[in-house]
């Protein structure tokens, strides 16, 4: 009973959260946490369940962000149109990336996706006439000054993503994804069209990440290639969110997003050392891989045992 | 009536001929044994038949249609399933989920897939292990899980690659009776096996490969008497 009620209690708390009158800064942190949960859940579909580790999710995030930005800067439309439009654009991009990268396996796939993110960043930097190049795109008219509406929009996106992941994982698609992760040859000989299902996983994962990107443009009001196509700040953090929280778990990406966003904010506020936040993330990743390879959610039992034995010792 | 026709198949790896001009057929309803010394090309032949490799020459026909050139999943969909010599369970999935994953091929929804999977687990004697994570299964049961998973795709033809290797005598007896039951269900079987007593007792016919070439074909009795086979295979075993 309690377990069934838990998601609703959580959702209720999240809905009420902005009404408590937190500062604009705290609202900003909450929005970032939810946005990273969305990206983490998206990556988890492809990397956690289907076993295709992407080092280039910034490609999808950036394409989503630029879809929204360019609708505004080139066509004079509201950047919010970027949210539906990015579904189409990112699907096309994901199909191309999938066609190139999905014939590769394991580390080769990871490296190919990494290069895709970099290629798109350099392209966006150089197509000055279309993207504005390094200057980026500025949304001059902000829709709302209050953060509360942005909060509810990203929360809606997160709830949708969660439901999609839940639906996919419990269905034939989810079984096929995991079969592909565990053994591609076995999956293929069990009648699973591995290329097709890997493409489905990539498109789903890419589109959701792109939606987060389109939201980002609207929320931040400014994008440039170095920010939205960033290898360290987007692609790698996406992987860390899932690894820290727990790959192939429902709540892992959410837990990971909370930890990573708070950690990033804390480290950045340390004088002098703050600039070295990537170093701290690297160390954290090493610790996680050695001691909690399944992440905090996946290895929760391990963590609990650790504390239990500590308490028993006087 | 022949279910599978292997027509003049050759497969080269660089200059090496792993299979050379091999032809035979598998008849509907029979158990065909495929034997030969190590490196004779048995598993390569399975890989060609099942679609992992394209034949360099020749073609494979299944249920009257050409299948060489198709991908393994397409061939599986047409009614051919296989097991692997080195077992490939979906390690971090439970035994039941392993079988459900393959049952989805012929099931409309998860409930149908689960029902089919449970039936197959009962048939292969794995129902007590349904919730075990397959990584932690002992080898004998992993081999059986391979077969269960292949059966879940509802094949016409089942290719078994050394399903008996590494099993103890009682596991061997149990598996022999399972394989006979599979045939009773109307499924044709082609089996690679090193265990001579097993292959002689369950096969209707046997094909013998040596250095990538077919050197004999016939009933177990004929194969046991064939001088070429004795020289290539049994003779070698006697010296060893």
């Amino acid at each position: 009973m309690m377990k069934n009620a838990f998601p609703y209690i959580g959702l209720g708390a999240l809905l009420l959260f902005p009404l408590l009158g937190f500062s604009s800064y705290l609202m900003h942190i909450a929005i970032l946490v939810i946005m990273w949960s969305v990206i983490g859940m998206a990556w988890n579909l492809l990397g956690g369940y289907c076993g295709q580790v992407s080092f280039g999710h910034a490609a999808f995030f950036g394409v989503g962000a630029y879809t929204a930005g360019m609708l505004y800067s080139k066509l004079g439309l509201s950047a919010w149109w970027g949210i539906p439009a990015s579904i189409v654009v990112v699907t096309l991009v994901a199909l191309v990336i999938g066609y190139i990268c999905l014939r590769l396996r394991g580390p080769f796939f990871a490296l190919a996706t990494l290069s895709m993110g970099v290629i798109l960043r350099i392209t966006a930097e150089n197509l000055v006439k279309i993207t504005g190049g390094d200057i980026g795109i500025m949304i001059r008219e902000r829709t709302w000054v209050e953060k509360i509406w942005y909060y509810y929009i990203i929360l809606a996106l997160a709830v949708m993503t969660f439901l999609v992941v839940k639906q996919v994982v419990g269905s034939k698609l989810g079984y096929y994804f995991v079969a592909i992760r565990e053994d591609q040859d076995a999956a293929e000989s069990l009648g699973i069209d591995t290329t097709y299902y890997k493409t489905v996983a990539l498109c789903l994962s890419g589109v959701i990440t792109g939606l987060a990107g389109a939201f980002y443009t609207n929320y931040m009001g400014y994008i440039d290639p170095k920010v939205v196509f960033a290898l360290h700040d987007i692609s790698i953090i996406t992987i860390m969110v899932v690894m820290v929280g727990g790959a192939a778990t429902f709540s892992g990406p959410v837990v990971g997003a909370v930890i990573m966003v708070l950690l990033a904010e804390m480290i950045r506020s340390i004088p002098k050392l703050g600039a070295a936040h990537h170093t701290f993330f690297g160390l954290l990743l090493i610790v996680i891989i050695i001691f909690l390879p399944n992440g905090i959610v996946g290895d929760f039992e391990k963590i609990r045992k650790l504390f239990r034995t500590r308490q028993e010792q006087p | 009536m022949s279910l599978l026709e292997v027509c003049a198949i050759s497969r080269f790896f660089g200059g090496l001929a792993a299979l050379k001009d091999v032809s035979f057929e598998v008849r509907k309803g029979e158990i065909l044994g495929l034997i030969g010394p190590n490196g004779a090309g048995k598993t390569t032949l399975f890989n060609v038949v099942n679609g992992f490799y394209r034949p360099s020459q020749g073609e494979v026909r299944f249920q009257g249609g050409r299948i060489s050139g198709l991908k393994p999943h397409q061939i599986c969909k047409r009614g051919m399933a296989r097991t692997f010599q080195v077992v490939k369970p979906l390690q971090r999935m439970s035994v039941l989920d392993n079988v459900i994953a393959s049952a989805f091929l012929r099931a409309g929804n998860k409930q149908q897939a689960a029902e089919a999977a449970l039936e197959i687990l009962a048939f292969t004697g794995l129902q007590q292990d349904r919730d075990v994570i397959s990584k932690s299964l002992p080898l004998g049961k992993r081999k059986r899980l391979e077969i269960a998973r292949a059966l879940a795709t509802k094949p016409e033809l089942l290719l078994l690659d050394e399903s008996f290797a590494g099993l103890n005598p009682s596991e061997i007896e149990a598996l022999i009776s399972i394989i006979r039951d599979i045939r009773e269900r109307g499924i044709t079987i082609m089996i690679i096996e090193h265990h001579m007593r097993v292959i002689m007792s369950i096969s209707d016919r046997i094909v013998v490969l040596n250095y990538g070439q077919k050197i004999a074909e016939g009933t177990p009795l004929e194969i046991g008497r064939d001088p070429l086979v004795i020289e290539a295979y049994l003779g070698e075993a006697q010296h060893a």
Side-chain angles (χ1 to χ4, degrees), chain A residues 170 175-176 182 188-189 193, chain B residues 73 76 84 91-92 97 101 110:
Chain A
Y175 275 87
Y176 278 12
E182 293 298 312
E188 183 74 27
S189 68
D193 186 345
Chain B
H73 70 88
C76 180
F84 291 91
Q91 301 219 11
R92 283 173 285 178
D97 282 344
K110 190 174 169 187

Side-chain angles (χ1 to χ4, degrees), chain A residues 170-176 178-195 294, chain B residues 50 52 71-73 76-77 80 82 84 88-93 97 100-102 104-105 110 149-150 153:
Chain A
S171 73
K172 172 173 165 173
L173 263 186
Y175 275 87
Y176 278 12
V178 176
I180 290 168
R181 176 187 78 196
E182 293 298 312
D183 196 311
Q184 259 192 70
D185 287 337
E188 183 74 27
S189 68
L190 294 175
I192 299 171
D193 186 345
T194 51
T195 313
N294 299 314
Chain B
N50 146 268
F52 275 121
K71 288 185 167 176
H73 70 88
C76 180
K77 201 146 205 176
M80 187 192 304
R82 77 169 287 183
F84 291 91
K88 293 175 182 288
L90 308 174
Q91 301 219 11
R92 283 173 285 178
M93 275 176 143
D97 282 344
I100 288 178
S102 26
F104 266 121
L105 186 68
K110 190 174 169 187
R149 220 172 47 174
T153 66

Side-chain angles (χ1 to χ4, degrees), chain A residues 273-285:
Chain A
L273 275 178
H277 62 281
H278 287 134
T279 317
F280 287 101
F281 289 171
L283 291 173
L284 173 66
L285 192 58

Side-chain angles (χ1 to χ4, degrees), chain A residues 253-272:
Chain A
V254 180
V255 173
V258 172
I259 291 172
M260 288 305 295
V261 170
L262 293 185
L263 204 62
E265 288 302 314
M266 268 156 53
I267 295 172
R268 275 185 201 139
S269 62
I270 304 172
K272 284 184 186 163

